[in-house]
Amino acid sequence: MNTTLRADPHGRRRMVDTDDGVTLAVREFGDTDAPLTAVFVHGHCLHTHSWARVRSHLAREWGAGVRMVFYDHRGHGESGSAPAHTYTIDQLGHDLDAVIRAVAPTGPVVLVGHSMGGMAALAYVRQHPDDVGSRIVGVGLLATAVSDITRSGLCRILRHPLVSALGLGVERMPRLAQHLASMALDNRTSVVTMYGFLRSLAGVDESRSLSALGNIPSLVLGGTADLLTPFEHSVAIAATLPTAELVRLHDAGHSVILDQAAEVAHAVVRLVTRAELHYAAGSSAMSLPMAG
């Protein structure tokens, strides 16, 4: 896995190569030797800039005291495209691992994921359960779900036969599909990427990942006007996490990190504060002499 780093007025820009050779665009803010790193994972068909408003609030709160890391998923933003069969939530967990190994190989890490990014964070937790508590000391799950995403809200449309037909057209005629999509959608994400992840989202089940979180601090946040992942998903997630703070943002939609950025930032600050205290308490306990 190779990385390169260069200066940028909008953060330090780093390119990280995943284990299967896809290049991910990463941006870092804050001191490189900060005691804690917060990694932010964006949603479907978004990119690092979707966190800009939240990041602005956090920068004012933390200064350079917490290192913030943002990156584009494969096929999104400035990251490289990849074979369509790799556009899965499981692969996003592996990509997150590549980013963590490259930019935060040591020290405590808090993961904050929005929508599909929350699922990617949970996939990582499932794949690396031994890191929970030692490396991963806090998790924020914003406007996301762990399973049964097609049971309610607008995501029910993913069960429609026309969606499968669309997928067949995308796979057989990707250029035509992209042209048609570009006329209907104002989105830079390719239709191949868009559909590939939609197919994975429809079948996602990260329920086992929640049990792996153990007792580390967690944040579960959603909006009451979210039509894609209705707030009932957040309630269900929080019910299984004994240390979760459940935050309900009234009248906030799925794009909660854009619509109510200040409120989201305040919740993330509380999460990181709890994670720092929890991690410090655990480290102190491990350093105590054994009774003999």
Side-chain angles (χ1 to χ4, degrees), residues 66-171:
V66 174
R67 180 167 55 154
M68 295 185 286
V69 173
F70 305 83
Y71 71 99
D72 291 329
H73 291 305
R74 58 178 56 209
H76 292 74
E78 297 179 329
S79 290
S81 59
H85 71 271
T86 70
Y87 290 147
T88 66
I89 303 302
D90 203 58
Q91 181 60 55
L92 292 186
H94 296 304
D95 290 351
L96 176 53
D97 176 50
V99 171
I100 292 173
R101 283 185 285 131
V103 305
T106 61
V109 173
V110 171
L111 301 177
V112 182
H114 170 244
S115 188
M116 186 174 76
M119 300 173 194
L122 289 173
Y124 171 88
V125 166
R126 169 173 49 81
Q127 294 160 0
H128 303 274
D130 292 342
D131 287 348
V132 177
S134 57
R135 294 297 322 286
I136 307 305
V137 299
V139 174
L141 303 171
L142 317 179
T144 193
V146 298
S147 63
D148 297 329
I149 194 172
T150 62
R151 78 167 184 250
S152 60
L154 293 180
C155 285
R156 285 179 294 182
I157 197 174
L158 296 178
R159 296 181 295 183
H160 198 284
L162 285 177
V163 175
S164 297
L166 170 64
L168 186 62
V170 168
E171 292 170 356

Side-chain angles (χ1 to χ4, degrees), residues 223-235:
T224 60
D226 188 339
L227 299 180
L228 289 176
T229 51
F231 189 70
E232 64 190 71
H233 285 289
S234 295
V235 173

Side-chain angles (χ1 to χ4, degrees), residues 24-291:
L24 303 180
V26 181
R27 292 185 183 271
E28 301 175 55
F29 298 79
D31 288 344
T32 56
D33 59 351
L36 182 142
T37 299
V39 179
F40 295 81
V41 194
H42 71 75
H44 183 244
C45 289
L46 296 175
H47 44 75
T48 57
H49 189 65
S50 64
W51 293 103
R53 295 179 185 175
V54 173
R55 186 182 68 237
S56 179
H57 288 288
L58 292 176
R60 287 195 291 270
E61 177 72 26
W62 289 331
V66 174
R67 180 167 55 154
M68 295 185 286
V69 173
F70 305 83
Y71 71 99
D72 291 329
H73 291 305
R74 58 178 56 209
H76 292 74
E78 297 179 329
S79 290
S81 59
H85 71 271
T86 70
Y87 290 147
T88 66
I89 303 302
D90 203 58
Q91 181 60 55
L92 292 186
H94 296 304
D95 290 351
L96 176 53
D97 176 50
V99 171
I100 292 173
R101 283 185 285 131
V103 305
T106 61
V109 173
V110 171
L111 301 177
V112 182
H114 170 244
S115 188
M116 186 174 76
M119 300 173 194
L122 289 173
Y124 171 88
V125 166
R126 169 173 49 81
Q127 294 160 0
H128 303 274
D130 292 342
D131 287 348
V132 177
S134 57
R135 294 297 322 286
I136 307 305
V137 299
V139 174
L141 303 171
L142 317 179
T144 193
V146 298
S147 63
D148 297 329
I149 194 172
T150 62
R151 78 167 184 250
S152 60
L154 293 180
C155 285
R156 285 179 294 182
I157 197 174
L158 296 178
R159 296 181 295 183
H160 198 284
L162 285 177
V163 175
S164 297
L166 170 64
L168 186 62
V170 168
E171 292 170 356
R172 292 187 175 181
M173 297 176 289
R175 291 185 179 179
L176 175 60
Q178 181 63 44
H179 175 68
L180 295 174
S182 65
M183 293 190 297
L185 300 171
D186 181 18
N187 195 301
R188 292 179 295 173
T189 307
S190 80
V191 69
V192 175
T193 301
M194 187 185 306
Y195 174 75
F197 281 115
L198 279 178
R199 181 168 51 187
S200 185
L201 286 169
V204 72
D205 187 352
E206 291 295 343
S207 302
R208 289 186 300 134
S209 306
L210 294 177
S211 60
L213 290 179
N215 293 316
I216 66 170
S218 57
L219 163 68
V220 183
L221 180 149
T224 60
D226 188 339
L227 299 180
L228 289 176
T229 51
F231 189 70
E232 64 190 71
H233 285 289
S234 295
V235 173
I237 294 171
T240 68
L241 297 175
T243 61
E245 177 190 6
L246 177 62
V247 176
R248 181 196 309 261
L249 295 184
H250 293 283
D251 299 324
H254 191 64
S255 299
V256 62
I257 61 175
L258 298 174
D259 300 338
Q260 297 197 26
E263 290 77 3
V264 171
H266 293 327
V268 171
V269 168
R270 293 195 299 272
L271 169 66
V272 169
T273 298
R274 288 194 295 136
E276 289 175 324
L277 293 173
H278 182 82
Y279 180 73
S283 299
S284 298
M286 287 188 292
S287 65
L288 291 175
M290 296 291 291

